């Protein structure tokens, strides 16, 4: 493996809506991020992934884009974005934009034009179909519940959406659409971003022609995620995208890739693969079933360890995974993975230590460095996320009562990680002077940045020492060595209150 600029970096994901509000409207924004670049620099961050800030009606919190070339006014302006890029550059922080190209918003100009003429030029940018013999083209269930087919009001046309009905899927089979996407990616790369986090990318290739699959629930539908995997033809799209955008720009890309066969990893990461890296979700998906959140279980510590070992082995000599404990779609890792008895500062640090010691690129999700926990939502109304609302209904349907349903959803809800960042113990945790768009986790009085920065033994200081270590020559020697020789056994011992880390080849 050739040494790359990003091998020794630590990355950080910002969920802009909930990071810091600079103007009191209750919504985090680009100026908020700019004002905290020094915080990120101090923490030792070298790569920043910013969740979507493009123009969006926010049916799925920005993952429904209405204009790829514009910044949504609630987040700021393109001038703010340019300033963010310039200020990040001064601090040697590379910025990744979120690339959401499996679908766009139904409010995007392309879709608006397509609606007027589903058989015309822009209709070909999407998937439109009519019922045949009274039947929809296929029985797939959208990720957010219900059929993937939505009727165009007042017509007999239907369009495909794997996610929310306000997120129509783009038709990657159409070369014109693909060229539009590449043009847009190159526009952003020319602007000076370092690359992309690539959203939901395994979905871009649909198994065609559309057909039914065996139903996996009583609604007669089948989970769309289960039928994807490495589709025939997906590779051609990914290869073309790489050749025409990221490769000529020497850009960084990290794919949100689910359901990949381990034997295919070398095509996805490594020298001249489609992506620079992909997220390793092995432990995140452990314990999940097709039935829904009510049926999911967190992996035990042993299962967690097994996931880590498998991932380290399968990526050996191939490339680097991007390692996460949580992201904007997952519950807080410390609430999910740690057994209750270990949900304390020591346990949180141990979990952090585990992942920093893995080969790969660590991504910290905002607030993880403080040990932020899941939020105790008082009711389903306090939750905004579309998938949580669907899963809540699902719980009721299978017979749970409201209290039980709320308990399930409170554990898995994506809003657990989307509550405002806890900067200090003042009103709204210092996130906004206005009314926050989503409730602040009541724990902000105890868990916040101000109380941890500079406090010896705090989780923040621990994370900071880990990023420093990651960037040190000692670690880099081990790291390189690790890349060459394979698995290492890492032993952690506490001697006289000092954590001793020793390495041994396996
Ligand atoms: C990805 C995003 C998630 C979003 C979905 C649809 O999984 O991480 O937040 O809802 O794609 O864009
Ligand atoms: Ca704001």
């Amino acid at each position: 493996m050739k040494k790359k600029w990003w091998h020794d970096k630590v990355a950080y994901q910002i969920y802009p809506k909930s990071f810091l509000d600079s103007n009191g409207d209750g919504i985090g924004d680009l100026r908020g991020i700019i004002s905290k670049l020094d915080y990120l620099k101090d923490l030792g961050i070298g790569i920043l992934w910013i969740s979507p800030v493009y123009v969006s009606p926010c049916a799925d919190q920005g993952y429904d884009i209405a204009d790829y070339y514009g910044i949504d006014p609630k987040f700021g302006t393109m001038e703010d974005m340019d300033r963010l890029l310039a200020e990040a550059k001064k601090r040697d922080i590379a910025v990744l934009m979120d690339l959401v190209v499996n679908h766009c918003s139904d409010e995007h100009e392309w879709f608006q034009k397509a609606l007027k003429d589903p058989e015309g030029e822009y209709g070909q940018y999407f998937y439109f179909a009519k019922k045949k013999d009274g039947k929809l083209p296929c029985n797939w269930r959208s990720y957010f519940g219900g059929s993937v087919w939505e009727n165009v009001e007042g017509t007999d046309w239907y369009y495909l959406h794997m996610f929310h009905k306000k997120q129509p899927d783009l038709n990657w089979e159409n070369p014109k659409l693909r060229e539009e996407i590449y043009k847009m990616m190159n526009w952003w790369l020319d602007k000076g971003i370092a690359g992309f986090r690539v959203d939901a990318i395994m979905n871009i290739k649909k198994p065609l022609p559309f057909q039914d699959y065996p139903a996996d629930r009583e609604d007669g539908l089948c989970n769309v995620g289960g039928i994807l995997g490495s589709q025939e033809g997906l590779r051609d799209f990914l290869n073309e995208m790489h050749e025409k955008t990221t490769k000529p720009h020497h850009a960084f890309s990290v794919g949100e890739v689910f359901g990949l066969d381990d034997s295919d990893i070398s095509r996805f990461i490594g020298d001249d693969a489609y992506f620079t890296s992909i997220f390793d979700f092995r432990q995140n998906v452990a314990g999940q079933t097709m039935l829904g959140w009510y049926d999911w279980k967190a992996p035990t510590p042993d299962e967690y360890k097994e996931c880590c070992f498998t991932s380290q082995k399968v990526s050996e000599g191939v490339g680097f995974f991007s390692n996460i404990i949580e992201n904007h779609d997952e519950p807080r890792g410390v609430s999910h993975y740690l057994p209750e008895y270990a949900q304390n500062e020591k346990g949180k640090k141990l979990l952090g230590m585990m992942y920093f010691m893995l080969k790969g690129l660590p991504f910290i999700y905002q607030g993880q460095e403080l040990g932020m926990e899941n939020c105790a939502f008082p009711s389903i109304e306090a939750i905004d996320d579309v998938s949580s609302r669907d899963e809540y209904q699902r719980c009721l349907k299978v017979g749970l009562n409201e209290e039980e349903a709320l308990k399930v959803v409170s554990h898995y809800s994506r809003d657990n990680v989307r509550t405002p960042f806890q900067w200090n113990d003042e009103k709204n945790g210092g996130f906004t002077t206005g009314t926050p768009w989503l409730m602040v986790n009541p724990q902000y009085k105890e868990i916040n940045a101000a109380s941890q920065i500079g406090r010896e033994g705090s989780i923040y200081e621990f994370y900071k020492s880990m990023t420093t270590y990651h960037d040190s020559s000692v670690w880099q020697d081990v790291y390189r060595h690790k890349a060459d020789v394979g698995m290492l056994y890492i032993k952690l011992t506490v001697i006289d209150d000092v954590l001793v880390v020793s390495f041994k080849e396996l």
Side-chain angles (χ1 to χ4, degrees), residues 104-380:
C104 60
S105 162
D106 64 340
E107 297 183 26
H108 193 288
E109 186 190 353
W110 297 336
F111 193 71
Q112 287 303 312
K113 287 184 177 162
L115 280 182
K116 290 196 187 109
D117 183 11
E119 283 171 304
E121 182 185 349
Y122 286 95
Q124 311 302 313
Y125 277 37
F126 300 90
Y127 293 95
F128 282 91
K130 289 183 178 176
K131 280 186 174 172
K132 259 198 203 119
D133 305 324
K135 242 183 109 281
L136 290 167
C138 62
N139 70 336
W140 307 351
R141 183 187 310 104
S142 124
Y143 289 105
F144 297 153
S147 166
V148 293
W149 294 100
E150 181 73 16
N151 180 237
V152 181
E153 226 188 285
T155 74
D156 52 0
W157 286 104
Y158 290 79
Y159 66 89
L160 178 88
H161 63 93
M162 309 269 250
F163 293 87
H164 193 267
K165 64 178 182 193
K166 281 183 71 64
Q167 293 169 300
D169 279 52
L170 291 164
N171 179 3
W172 275 70
E173 307 293 334
N174 180 352
K176 249 184 154 168
L177 177 271
R178 299 204 302 274
E179 286 306 324
E180 287 278 10
I181 305 259
Y182 305 151
K183 189 176 96 189
M184 176 273 289
M185 289 173 71
N186 286 326
W187 185 84
W188 277 101
L189 290 168
D190 288 339
K191 216 176 193 350
I193 65 166
F196 299 101
R197 174 266 182 181
V198 188
D199 184 76
I201 197 66
M202 298 300 267
N203 295 275
I204 62 173
K205 179 77 194 180
K206 328 294 180 204
L208 296 174
F210 290 116
Q211 53 183 294
D212 284 358
Y213 286 80
D216 53 27
R217 291 184 194 169
E218 63 293 338
D219 59 6
L221 304 179
C222 87
N223 188 310
V224 80
I227 59 172
L228 290 173
S230 320
Q231 285 302 316
E232 188 71 28
L234 171 69
R235 289 172 180 173
D236 298 334
F237 292 162
L238 297 181
N239 196 41
E240 185 183 80
M241 179 167 87
H242 178 52
E243 290 292 329
K244 294 197 170 185
T245 64
T246 39
K247 190 172 172 180
H249 277 93
H250 305 288
F252 180 94
S253 63
V254 50
E256 187 198 24
V257 169
F258 285 100
L260 185 68
D261 269 3
D262 287 342
S263 57
D264 275 346
I265 291 175
S266 63
R267 292 171 187 271
F268 281 69
I269 55 175
D271 296 332
D272 209 24
Y274 311 139
F275 301 105
T276 315
S277 178
I278 59 176
F279 287 108
D280 179 22
F281 292 116
R282 203 174 297 267
Q283 47 270 33
N284 302 81
V285 299
Q288 297 184 355
T289 72
M290 290 294 180
L291 292 179
W293 291 356
Y294 77 91
D295 190 51
W296 291 9
K297 277 183 213 65
T300 62
D302 277 344
E303 286 163 349
Y304 189 94
K305 188 179 81 185
E306 201 47 48
C307 290
C308 295
F309 270 72
T310 309
S311 291
Q312 296 284 285
K313 280 185 196 147
V314 297
S315 60
E316 197 50 60
V318 180
F320 277 22
F321 278 136
S322 286
N323 299 319
I324 60 161
I325 287 180
E326 63 209 23
N327 66 19
H328 67 294
D329 293 329
E330 302 288 332
R332 286 287 178 187
V334 293
S335 305
H336 183 57
Y337 298 117
L338 292 175
E340 229 160 280
Y341 66 82
Q343 292 185 8
N344 50 42
E345 285 207 342
K346 273 195 183 141
K348 291 176 182 182
K349 287 186 221 169
L350 182 73
L351 188 63
M353 168 68 100
M354 289 255 310
Y355 108 120
F356 270 112
M357 291 291 144
L358 298 174
K359 183 182 61 177
L361 175 61
F363 270 74
I364 301 172
Y365 176 76
Q366 65 181 47
Q368 181 188 323
E369 75 275 25
L370 307 177
M372 276 178 66
E373 298 177 11
N374 272 356
C375 181
F377 293 106
S379 70
I380 186 68

Side-chain angles (χ1 to χ4, degrees), residues 29 93 160 200 270 360 380 401 436:
D29 44 51
I93 297 176
L160 178 88
I380 186 68
N401 65 32

Side-chain angles (χ1 to χ4, degrees), residues 13 15 49 51-52 59-64 98-103 143-144 162-164 167 197-201 203 256 258 281 327-330 385-387 414 418:
Q13 180 189 357
Y15 197 68
W49 153 26
S51 276
D60 184 22
Q61 302 302 357
Y63 284 88
D64 45 322
D98 213 313
L99 181 72
V100 189
V101 288
N102 172 67
H103 45 265
Y143 289 105
F144 297 153
M162 309 269 250
F163 293 87
H164 193 267
Q167 293 169 300
R197 174 266 182 181
V198 188
D199 184 76
I201 197 66
N203 295 275
E256 187 198 24
F258 285 100
F281 292 116
N327 66 19
H328 67 294
D329 293 329
E330 302 288 332
D385 168 40
V386 275
S387 69
R414 305 195 297 177
R418 298 175 179 187

